[in-house]
Amino acid sequence: MNIQEILEKHKKWRRDEEGGKRANLRSANLRSANLRSADLRSADLTGADLTDADLTGADLTGADLTGASLRDA
């Protein structure tokens, strides 16, 4: 599953819609990913590598970023 599919299912999960699923990006390689304006509220980003990721306007409220690398993000 690609990141866009994960984000779409996460959006549905946040809205309590059918087919929704919380984003599990635990230990994901998201280096240099374009996550502009992504809704990552309550997502699991434990141990994710977000080095150089574009998080401009992204909402990370309540996201688990334990051990995540946010260098130059």
Side-chain angles (χ1 to χ4, degrees):
M1 188 175 302
N2 69 41
I3 188 66
Q4 293 306 320
E5 290 175 42
I6 292 169
L7 292 175
E8 192 58 40
K9 286 182 182 265
H10 186 70
K11 188 185 298 184
K12 288 181 180 181
W13 175 77
R14 295 276 312 146
R15 295 178 182 161
D16 202 24
E17 294 176 5
E18 185 175 329
K21 182 178 179 184
R22 180 181 180 212
N24 180 353
L25 296 166
R26 183 178 279 262
S27 300
N29 179 359
L30 298 170
R31 291 178 77 93
S32 302
N34 179 358
L35 297 171
R36 280 182 161 264
S37 301
D39 180 357
L40 291 166
R41 290 177 289 169
S42 301
D44 184 358
L45 291 157
T46 305
D49 185 357
L50 292 155
T51 303
D52 294 318
D54 185 353
L55 296 169
T56 306
D59 190 343
L60 295 161
T61 305
D64 188 344
L65 294 162
T66 305
S69 175
L70 293 161
R71 189 175 46 246
D72 297 323

